[in-house]
């Protein structure tokens, strides 16, 4: 969600970061802004500071489908090369002592998610309203040891009050600037800095992150029975043929996703894997995805 810092890229056809002369690049490259990019330049644009290859998103057109302007970005494969133009890691929040952290939770400034719920709640009413069965949270949730102390090696025992992504979605307007501790983290970060748009994803990623995507369409395979896989296609980067959220028809229906979910926003926590010539997220636990109430769409898209 951070603003892109790369305003100008260097274009030089045939030059490579591994074998090319930096002097040659600086002397002969054409400086271009994102609106001057042409798809034929793919693979030949470079950072003006660290000289590593850049990508331009989207590959064609000057705007994403949600209205965001096209931009340049570093390739993840060169992440070890330092650069002041690289999008900085989100600033985390550390606490002086356990009492301070507990007070932040009490003041609704901090939320702890030690893990996401694996199994769905018991469904008593098939016609229950959206979020009646998807966002059941334990206000006195399990205590977990969290390493968010200012002092190295110290951890706090804190209650985890949210266990589903749907729980994040339910009061999204209140949660957007709240600090969240997510599984396997060592720092609490504001939710708005933790969210990654699916439209920025161009390759597989084994590290679980919190993503959001706009539903393009959704259909169920096989005979349309509960155990069949529902394929929910999300609006993706133009470089990617397609991007799907895959789960059983029953599970997605209980999350509020069906044939008429076009335009809705889904949040999920997971790894990005391959899906034929495209990408997908699959094998999610019950609590690892949720549908954003429509009244909050404007927070994420213009």
């Amino acid at each position: 969600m951070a603003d892109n810092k790369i305003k100008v890229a260097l274009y030089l056809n045939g030059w490579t970061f591994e074998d090319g002369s930096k002097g040659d690049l600086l002397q002969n490259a054409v400086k271009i802004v994102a609106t001057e990019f042409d798809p034929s330049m793919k693979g030949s644009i470079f950072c003006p500071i660290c000289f590593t290859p850049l990508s331009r998103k989207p590959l064609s057109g000057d705007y994403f489908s949600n209205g965001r302007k096209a931009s340049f970005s570093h390739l993840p494969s060169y992440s070890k090369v330092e650069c002041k133009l690289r999008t900085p890691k989100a600033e985390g929040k550390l606490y002086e002592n356990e009492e301070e952290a507990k007070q932040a939770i009490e003041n609704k400034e901090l939320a702890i998610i030690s893990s996401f719920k694996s199994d769905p709640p018991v469904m008593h009413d098939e016609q229950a309203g959206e979020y009646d069965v998807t966002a059941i949270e334990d206000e006195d949730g399990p205590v977990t040891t969290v390493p968010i102390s200012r002092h190295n090696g110290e951890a706090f025992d804190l209650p985890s009050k949210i266990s589903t992504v749907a729980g994040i979605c339910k009061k999204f307007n209140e949660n957007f600037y709240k600090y969240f501790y997510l599984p396997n983290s060592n720092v609490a970060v504001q939710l708005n800095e933790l969210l990654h748009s699916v439209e920025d994803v161009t390759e597989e990623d084994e590290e679980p992150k919190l993503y959001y995507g706009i539903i393009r369409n959704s259909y169920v395979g096989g005979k349309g029975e509960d155990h069949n896989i529902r394929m929910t296609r999300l609006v993706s980067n133009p470089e990617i043929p397609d991007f799907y959220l895959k789960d059983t028809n029953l599970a997605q229906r209980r999350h509020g996703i069906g044939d008429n979910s076009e335009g809705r926003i889904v949040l999920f926590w997971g790894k990005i894997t391959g899906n034929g010539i495209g990408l997908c997220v699959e094998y999610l636990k019950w609590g690892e995805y949720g549908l954003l109430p429509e009244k909050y769409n404007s927070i994420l898209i213009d």
Side-chain angles (χ1 to χ4, degrees):
M1 298 286 288
D3 291 338
N4 191 282
K5 290 185 174 184
I6 309 173
K7 304 302 181 184
V8 177
L10 303 178
Y11 166 64
L12 184 58
N13 189 36
W15 193 86
T16 64
F17 175 76
E18 288 75 16
D19 302 318
S21 162
K22 293 178 182 178
D24 180 29
L25 178 67
L26 290 170
Q27 184 175 353
N28 298 306
V30 176
K31 296 179 176 64
I32 63 169
V33 296
T35 55
E36 296 174 313
F37 176 86
D38 182 272
S40 64
M41 298 177 179
K42 180 181 178 182
S44 298
I45 56 173
F46 305 92
C47 175
I49 301 298
C50 69
F51 312 114
T52 61
L54 300 176
S55 63
R56 195 267 204 178
K57 301 175 183 179
L59 184 61
S60 59
D62 292 336
Y63 294 90
F64 286 92
S65 59
N66 63 9
R68 289 193 299 120
K69 292 181 179 180
S71 61
F72 297 119
S73 62
H74 290 92
L75 298 181
S77 53
Y78 292 87
S79 61
K80 292 184 179 180
V81 179
E82 292 186 8
C83 182
K84 66 181 182 180
L85 294 184
R86 194 177 299 280
T87 302
K89 291 184 178 180
E91 183 177 349
K93 180 79 170 178
L94 297 173
Y95 296 86
E96 188 65 35
N97 51 54
E98 195 165 299
E99 289 69 28
E100 182 183 6
K102 287 181 177 179
Q103 188 61 54
I105 293 174
E106 186 68 24
N107 294 340
K108 298 183 179 181
E109 299 169 352
L110 170 65
I112 306 296
I113 303 178
S114 58
S115 63
F116 289 99
K117 189 185 294 290
S118 296
D119 301 315
V122 176
M123 184 165 55
H124 299 292
D125 182 2
E126 183 70 28
Q127 302 303 317
E130 188 178 348
Y131 295 102
D132 287 349
V133 294
T134 59
I136 296 175
E137 303 300 343
D138 185 356
E139 288 301 322
D140 298 311
V143 170
T144 186
T145 301
V146 181
I148 57 173
S149 171
R150 292 186 186 276
H151 310 289
N152 291 336
E154 185 177 359
F156 305 143
D157 292 331
L158 300 171
S160 52
K161 295 195 174 186
I162 295 180
S163 60
T164 65
V165 170
I168 297 174
C169 294
K170 188 176 182 181
K171 296 182 179 179
F172 195 70
N173 59 330
E174 297 179 13
N175 290 329
F176 194 60
Y177 293 112
K178 180 185 292 186
Y179 282 89
F180 276 78
Y181 172 86
L182 296 180
N184 302 318
S185 181
N186 58 6
V187 69
V189 177
Q190 284 182 314
L191 180 63
N192 67 309
E193 295 286 351
L194 289 168
L195 288 164
H196 301 267
S197 172
V198 167
E199 293 183 50
D200 292 336
V201 176
T202 57
E203 60 186 12
E204 297 180 36
D205 191 343
E206 281 294 310
E207 181 184 353
K209 295 182 178 70
L210 191 61
Y211 296 91
Y212 70 92
I214 303 169
I215 296 176
R216 181 170 176 176
N217 57 59
S218 183
Y219 66 91
V220 59
K223 297 182 179 180
E225 298 180 356
D226 285 350
H227 66 274
N228 291 131
I229 297 298
R230 174 170 287 278
M231 304 286 288
T232 297
R233 186 174 181 180
L234 306 181
V235 176
S236 59
N237 190 285
E239 297 181 28
I240 305 302
D242 52 53
F243 189 111
Y244 285 96
L245 183 154
K246 300 164 65 174
D247 201 356
T248 65
N249 185 34
L250 175 61
Q252 292 210 46
R253 186 171 73 247
R254 290 193 63 186
H255 280 85
I257 301 173
D259 292 348
N260 299 315
S261 295
E262 180 182 357
R264 298 296 300 276
I265 297 177
V266 62
L267 273 67
F268 64 87
W269 167 265
K271 302 177 181 179
I272 306 300
T273 58
N275 181 56
I277 59 174
L279 297 172
C280 74
V281 58
E282 57 184 338
Y283 305 119
L284 293 176
K285 297 178 182 177
W286 168 261
E288 290 181 335
Y289 68 102
L291 199 63
L292 189 72
E294 289 184 274
K295 61 184 177 180
Y296 300 137
N297 280 13
S298 61
I299 297 177
L300 292 177
I301 57 177
D302 297 328

